[in-house]
Amino acid sequence: MHADLSRITFRPERHYSAVLAQQGRVQLDADANEQTAIQLHQARTIAADLIGRHGGPAGATGFAIGLDSRGHELDDLTIGGGRYYVDGILCDASRPAPGDAVEDDDGDGGGHDGGHGGEDGGCDGDGRDRAGGRAGDRAGGTDATPAHWTYWDQPDGHRDPERPGDRLPTAFPYLAYLKVWERSVTAAEDPVLREVALGPDVPDTAARVKVVWQVLALPGSDLGVEDGETGKDALRTAFRRWADERSAPGSRMAARSRRPERADEDPCLLRPDARYRGPENQLYRVEVHEGGTADEATFKWSRENGSVVLPVDGLDGTWVELATLGGDGRLDLNTGDWVEFADTAYTSRGEPLPLLRVEEVDLPGRRVRLSGEPAGGVGRRPELHPCLRRWDHREEPRRGGRGARGRLRGGAVRVEEGRWLPLEDGVEVYFEPGGAYRPGDHWLVPARTATGAVEWPVNAARKPLLRAPAGIRVHYAPLAWVMGEHGVSDLRLSFGPLAGPVPAATEEELAAEARAEAEARALAAQGEPESPTDTAGPQA
């Protein structure tokens, strides 16, 4: 989660069930966040145990897939509304209906100046017009507001008809599936989260975590099923194998702090034996940028967990106009910084672009000049909330006088396995040999001045342990086997409610009840009350 956090303390293997606040103690973000994580873990574990890997409630099962190719230049899929659970995570495909606007007194209906748009306006949270969607219109949408989402206008899909790789397979059959993951959202990406009463100089408050779902297509040839093995159970089994291969982490990393060779030159404010030499507590984020093998992969790192994000107001070539500068010198941009030009669509697609270097800073104009123009299609739509995300790695100095430019490729650091790589101030990371890296996978390394070290699990000999990435955790579920003119085979699962009618009494229970009624009548005939408390009723 790209948020301004001190650290993340939730560990499911410790089996904590609650966080207890103690009187007179300092309250930390990590404590409150751990309580939220505990409750979410429990709720999703219960849901997954009862439902299974995926399923929807009977009568409200969402994500019914239909093929819509009539009269359209490009094929489309309809996505039925309702709810569906994937590994206990609730996904809701219901499409919000547009609100009813009140006309102004002058009747022109154009004087509204309240709110931020977003949820309360005529757009969805990412700015997509609810009357069909930009991509949906080009794919054959209408001006009428549909009651369901489609493949082209799904809220977090950001599919582009102009990109051949985004189009649905032309060869049938193929499998439509659901991809689910979570990401953090701050006020830079959703301005509605900011409390304007606090003023422009006050930092934003809490961030949010959002469930992102995407309906995507997998060609049948990639699923690995034989022509005769297209039964629903066989398709689900084959898809599970495919999904498990992509869900399993393929790389591991370790971290440590080591006293630099020139530590004696540091100011006396630091402990002489401190291995971590930074002046402040930090939460380092090491994140894979380009994926692949070690020869192909790169990573980026931030000492602020990637939380230094500056909203963008405008783009003119390589000049970027910022909505605001950082709160102080630690949280703004300086010449030489590497930044990621991002927006909602870029983040949701998970396809990294080369990082850009800050070449010039115009403080009075709130502008920065980048080393190159951002890639087309990113940051040009204000409703997608473009921003610059700062990363803290730097270009290594030239070595050997031959113009070598260090270990950077595309603005990110090359992955080197089997050796300790220095970040800064004594913090080092180690990538296990033979890894397979996925964009977005990341590790968090808290560094503390009080101990002069980083917090990282170690074994009995105090050696750092290798750890799988802390995220991103992606979940998958099959939805439909699309066979073209032969129809669509539904692969979803559903479950009914646990509650049911009270079962009918057995013969033994009915006989016992009859005997009890006979005894009560006999007592009443003798003039005795039926029970010690039943003395006010009529007498026989």
Side-chain angles (χ1 to χ4, degrees), residues 104-431:
D104 290 339
D105 292 339
D106 56 10
D108 61 8
H112 177 66
D113 62 356
H116 299 274
E119 295 179 2
D120 297 327
C123 299
D124 296 307
D126 61 2
R128 184 177 279 101
D129 185 0
R130 286 196 183 121
R134 176 179 64 93
D137 291 339
R138 283 191 283 176
T142 64
D143 292 335
T145 302
H148 50 71
W149 297 108
T150 71
Y151 173 80
W152 291 111
D153 72 355
Q154 54 183 306
D156 294 308
H158 299 285
R159 303 291 96 183
D160 187 352
E162 303 299 332
R163 302 180 61 169
D166 283 359
R167 299 174 186 174
L168 293 169
T170 56
F172 296 103
Y174 60 82
L175 190 140
Y177 67 94
L178 190 60
K179 177 182 178 181
V180 182
W181 53 287
E182 290 181 302
R183 71 179 186 91
S184 58
V185 178
T186 65
E189 301 166 273
D190 187 0
V192 177
L193 299 180
R194 183 179 295 277
E195 174 52 76
V196 297
L198 297 176
D201 297 329
V202 176
D204 58 347
T205 55
R208 304 293 189 272
V209 178
K210 177 181 180 179
V211 173
V212 177
W213 60 259
Q214 298 171 331
V215 173
L216 304 174
L218 177 67
S221 57
D222 294 347
L223 194 58
V225 295
E226 301 293 337
D227 293 339
E229 298 180 358
T230 56
K232 292 186 177 183
D233 289 340
L235 291 172
R236 293 190 186 104
T237 301
F239 180 80
R240 177 178 295 186
R241 290 195 301 266
W242 179 89
D244 288 344
E245 291 177 359
R246 281 147 186 81
S247 300
S251 58
R252 295 194 299 175
M253 191 197 83
R256 72 179 183 184
S257 52
R258 185 179 185 183
R259 192 170 184 267
E261 296 178 358
R262 305 181 65 179
D264 293 338
E265 302 176 8
D266 290 345
C268 296
L269 294 176
L270 296 175
R271 289 169 37 187
D273 61 342
R275 299 185 303 276
Y276 168 58
R277 311 297 292 183
E280 298 182 7
N281 298 319
Q282 304 288 1
L283 180 61
Y284 285 89
R285 181 188 187 93
V286 179
E287 180 174 320
V288 176
H289 188 65
E290 290 283 351
T293 64
D295 294 334
E296 304 165 329
T298 60
F299 72 96
K300 54 206 175 188
W301 62 263
S302 164
R303 66 179 70 94
E304 306 285 349
N305 189 31
S307 64
V308 180
V309 176
L310 302 176
V312 170
D313 270 354
L315 177 63
D316 183 9
T318 59
W319 281 97
V320 179
E321 180 183 354
L322 303 175
T324 181
L325 297 175
D328 53 39
R330 185 174 57 89
L331 301 176
D332 59 11
L333 296 178
N334 295 290
T335 301
D337 288 340
W338 289 96
V339 296
E340 193 171 15
F341 200 97
D343 58 20
T344 302
Y346 171 87
T347 303
S348 296
R349 292 180 64 90
E351 299 172 355
L353 297 171
L355 304 182
L356 301 173
R357 187 176 184 272
V358 176
E359 301 288 353
E360 185 178 351
V361 178
D362 176 16
L363 291 178
R366 293 204 315 272
R367 303 188 307 159
V368 295
R369 182 171 63 85
L370 304 179
S371 57
E373 187 172 352
V378 179
R380 272 70 173 182
R381 298 174 58 193
E383 67 272 17
L384 294 181
H385 308 298
C387 61
L388 292 182
R389 187 181 305 278
R390 191 192 77 188
W391 297 95
D392 295 322
H393 58 272
R394 289 285 181 139
E395 185 85 57
E396 287 188 350
R398 297 178 182 270
R399 297 177 294 180
R402 300 180 180 179
R405 296 294 293 171
R407 303 193 317 259
L408 298 192
R409 183 175 65 230
V413 186
R414 299 173 186 268
V415 168
E416 298 181 47
E417 295 179 334
R419 60 182 292 259
W420 287 99
L421 306 177
L423 301 187
E424 67 173 4
D425 294 329
V427 180
E428 298 180 341
V429 297
Y430 177 97
F431 293 100

Side-chain angles (χ1 to χ4, degrees), residues 20 52 213 406 482:
L20 299 179
W213 60 259
V482 183

